[in-house]
Every structure is written in C-alpha cells, then in structure tokens.
Amino acid sequence: PKGCFLVALGDAPLDAVCALPASGSAMDLRLLERESELGNAEAQSALGTAFLLGKGVPQDASRAATLFESAAGQGEARAQCNLGAMYAQGIGVPLDYTEATKWYALSAEQGDADGLYNLAVVFAQGLGGIAKDLARAAELCRKAAAKGQQKAKLLLKSLEVSGAS
C-alpha cells in the first residue's frame, strides 16, 4: 500500500496504513490541504501521512498527529489506526497505551484490517495494563487475516501453537 507507516512494538510489528496521493505532487498536496481545512477526513488522513513520512512536506509528527486526530474523530478508520500507532510509540504525542488501544479498537470496530491486527497485538502482549487475552487476540487475528493482513496470519499461527483458540 502507498504511504505505509510501520511501527514496531515488542516482538510484533504494529501496522497502520493511510494512502497518499498517487503522484505526491505539490498540486495534490495543495488540494489535500484545502480539503483538509474544509474538514474532509480522508484528506486529513492522507495529509497526516504526508507529514508523518515527510512526503512532499517537511516531516512533522506533531502536525501529523493533529491531522490524524481530526480525521479519527470523524470516524476515519485508517486515521484511527495511525493515531493509535503514534500513541503506542510516543511519536508526535505522549506515549499512551490506553489511547493507542482506544484508537485501535475504534478502527477495528469498523473492520480495518490493520486496526484489528494492532488490537490483537495489544491483547497478545497485554500492553498498557490490558489483561493478556490470547483467545481474543486469535479472534481479532482471524478477522484481520480474512481481510488479507499478512502479519495477522503469522501472529495467528503463533497464537495457535501456544494454545489460543
């Protein structure tokens, strides 16, 4: 996918994905900025990715987090997942597993494969005071894997070996 933002936490990588404009040109970015200012959640999410990765704009994790938060608050699943990943790592925001879990859960509720996988990792590792729940992690991995999330398939195999059902 375009504009893939990968974050590693513990032994399992956490993924959040948000598409950038195909060309990444200055014109595309101007359009994204205009649409973002008008409250378009998809534009905010894509522009957040541009700032996070420094694609066509100076890299600015704080600005990325602000844009993701605006889009996530409107229910944009990829922005929710990206914001969760930023909180899980303290990138542009304070490190906060509770916030990370909240945003992953909102993304997962919408069926976002990366949100499902990241939430599975939270349950598999017992992050941020969340009780370790391998059965719940396996359930989330199955849903993410059914949507093509490759890392979820690998984590699911590991969970099944450890006896999670």
Side-chain angles (χ1 to χ4, degrees):
K2 297 178 188 130
C4 188
F5 169 42
L6 300 175
V7 178
L9 181 62
D11 294 331
L14 301 175
D15 292 322
V17 181
C18 184
L20 284 172
S23 70
S25 72
M27 181 172 208
D28 287 334
L29 290 170
R30 281 194 306 270
L31 289 172
L32 281 178
E33 286 179 5
R34 187 181 75 208
E35 287 298 313
S36 177
E37 289 169 6
L38 294 172
N40 180 309
E42 289 180 22
Q44 291 167 338
S45 186
L47 192 57
T49 299
F51 276 102
L52 181 66
L53 301 174
K55 298 290 185 180
V57 295
Q59 193 168 20
D60 184 341
S62 294
R63 176 110 190 258
T66 299
L67 288 160
F68 287 144
E69 191 166 18
S70 293
Q74 295 180 66
E76 212 285 323
R78 288 181 178 156
Q80 291 169 335
C81 190
N82 280 340
L83 189 58
M86 293 181 81
Y87 275 110
Q89 290 295 299
I91 298 171
V93 295
L95 178 69
D96 187 334
Y97 291 124
T98 302
E99 279 295 303
T101 301
K102 173 184 105 174
W103 291 113
Y104 289 152
L106 289 168
S107 179
E109 285 172 14
Q110 295 187 66
D112 181 77
D114 295 310
L116 288 160
Y117 169 71
N118 289 345
L119 190 57
V121 171
V122 168
F123 283 109
Q125 295 183 359
L127 299 174
I130 300 290
K132 204 180 244 193
D133 186 341
L134 299 182
R136 178 78 173 124
E139 174 190 337
L140 291 162
C141 277
R142 279 188 203 88
K143 290 178 181 178
K147 293 176 176 285
Q149 216 302 342
Q150 295 302 310
K151 290 183 180 100
K153 293 176 184 179
L154 296 173
L155 180 56
L156 183 57
K157 284 182 185 177
S158 174
L159 290 168
E160 288 172 344
V161 167
S162 67
S165 50

